[in-house]
Amino acid sequence: MTRDAVSVVGARAASPYGERVAAELASAAAERGCCVVSGAAYGIDAAAHRGALASQGSTVAVVAGGVDEAYPRAHRRLLDDIAESGCIVSEVRAGEHPTRRRFLVRNRLIAALSAGTVIVEASLRSGARNTASWATACGRVVMAVPGPVTSATSVTPHRLIREGEATLVTCIDDVLELIHPLGEVMPQRERRG
């Protein structure tokens, strides 16, 4: 586990609200010295990586295929940027293609590589729910951002909060309070040149 890392995951078909929240959380996490871990998928994942990069922070992309092929292809530039300041991680060999099962399995790594996982929008049958389950199994903190009650992408975060599987968070201070021991102060990250 990376002690000063937080995973930010959620819906591929994210709303502008979800993408904004994910980017802002990741940017603030990076500014506070945390590495941001996500899966490089469309929607929340990409917004989280971009938020960390915008603050010149490090971010880790856990991919479901080999690290040598950009997936999705539209994220080639994003993955190149991630590789420059962070890293791309995979359990499979170079040249291997992502499969549905590999996406679910890689969620275990996303959860395990951080001190806590934040779900920012996820529908009822979302891979983010799988990541939350892995985080719980790994003994990591699970957090969820509330959304509009009329939104299908609010179903999983709201259910996790309601059923006591996740703690409601709205900002980076909420997240840091949960992933660091009481009284511990997060050092500010030195800005790169």
Side-chain angles (χ1 to χ4, degrees):
M1 172 183 76
T2 304
R3 193 173 146 266
D4 291 330
V6 62
S7 297
V8 179
V9 297
R12 283 181 173 85
S15 71
Y17 161 81
E19 289 184 354
R20 186 179 73 246
V21 169
E24 288 174 1
L25 272 175
S27 177
E31 287 174 2
R32 299 285 288 272
C34 290
C35 176
V36 175
V37 180
S38 199
Y42 290 116
I44 298 302
D45 289 13
H49 291 303
R50 287 185 179 112
L53 292 168
S55 288
Q56 299 179 337
S58 65
T59 184
V60 173
V62 182
V63 297
V67 297
D68 58 327
E69 285 191 47
Y71 187 88
R73 289 196 196 289
H75 284 178
R76 175 167 297 287
R77 174 71 189 264
L78 174 62
L79 288 161
D80 288 345
D81 291 345
I82 291 167
E84 281 185 32
S85 66
C87 68
I88 301 170
V89 176
S90 178
E91 285 187 295
V92 301
R93 297 187 293 252
E96 294 287 326
H97 298 289
T99 64
R100 177 172 165 69
R101 182 177 178 339
R102 287 181 179 158
F103 278 107
L104 292 173
V105 170
R106 68 95 193 249
N107 291 342
R108 180 181 95 264
L109 290 180
I110 292 172
L113 287 172
S114 63
T117 296
V118 180
I119 311 296
V120 180
E121 288 195 328
S123 62
L124 185 60
R125 296 178 47 85
S126 170
R129 176 64 178 102
N130 176 261
T131 308
S133 295
W134 278 116
T136 299
C138 291
R140 307 300 193 254
V141 178
V142 178
M143 299 157 275
V145 175
V149 296
T150 55
S151 172
T153 57
S154 295
V155 172
T156 289
H158 291 177
R159 179 171 286 175
L160 289 169
I161 294 165
R162 185 179 66 243
E163 295 176 359
E165 296 178 54
T167 302
L168 185 151
V169 294
T170 61
C171 64
I172 194 59
D173 288 333
D174 294 346
V175 172
L176 295 178
E177 180 180 301
L178 292 166
I179 66 171
H180 289 284
L182 188 63
E184 182 179 323
V185 178
M186 281 285 300
Q188 291 289 328
R189 178 179 56 84
E190 275 187 39
R191 301 292 279 184
R192 291 187 215 161

